[in-house]
Amino acid sequence: MAYDLVIQNGTVVDGSGRARYQADIGVADGRIAEVGKIKNGAKKVIDASDLIVAPGFIDPHTHYDAQICWDPLVSCSSWHGITTVVMGNCGVGIAPCRPDVHDIVTWDLVNVEGISFDVLSKESSGTGRVSPTS
């Protein structure tokens, strides 16, 4: 079977809890059709040597900001097939953040989470806002 896309030589992290492994990914009609050593051709081939390939689902809205400390597998998500999570409170964080939108993001957390604007606007040294380049 010829595929639309083959991603070769990637390190697969599939979200099943299985250890990462080297494999090729064959994609046909927008779906993963085969994972393994693929010898058939494809319309397009991507060399993923030294890269992670993570087929699955991305959860952009998590509440793992505390749970990650005692549950490094963020079990609830991985149990449901999520392979990537965006960390933060509700998937939102104030760093890194462009300076021109820092106040908007900060006020979002003030309003939604009831966290003090003054606390969110200070870096740990107390010298002001966190710079996106620090």
Side-chain angles (χ1 to χ4, degrees):
M1 168 184 210
Y3 296 104
D4 299 320
L5 170 68
V6 170
I7 303 170
Q8 291 180 331
N9 308 313
T11 300
V12 176
V13 179
D14 64 13
S16 68
R18 175 182 174 181
R20 62 180 64 190
Y21 59 97
Q22 296 294 125
D24 302 333
I25 312 283
V27 179
D29 297 321
R31 295 183 175 264
I32 296 171
E34 183 178 354
V35 177
K37 187 63 181 164
I38 298 175
K39 297 182 185 202
N40 297 330
K43 295 176 187 172
K44 182 175 182 179
V45 176
I46 297 173
D47 181 12
S49 297
D50 301 319
L51 298 173
I52 299 289
V53 180
F57 297 98
I58 298 170
D59 185 352
H61 181 135
T62 68
H63 295 261
Y64 291 131
D65 38 331
Q67 184 174 334
I68 191 71
C69 295
W70 66 81
D71 181 12
L73 297 178
V74 288
S75 299
C76 292
S77 288
S78 59
W79 290 341
H80 296 284
I82 303 298
T83 58
T84 305
V85 298
V86 177
M87 296 298 297
N89 193 328
C90 298
V92 176
I94 57 174
C97 182
R98 294 189 327 258
D100 60 317
V101 297
H102 186 272
D103 284 357
I104 294 168
V105 175
T106 303
W107 279 110
D108 180 51
L109 287 172
V110 169
N111 293 323
V112 173
E113 301 298 333
I115 304 170
S116 164
F117 183 87
D118 289 338
V119 169
L120 293 171
S121 296
K122 305 284 187 244
E123 56 181 300
S124 61
S125 65
T127 60
R129 293 196 178 136
V130 175
S131 165
T133 58
S134 37

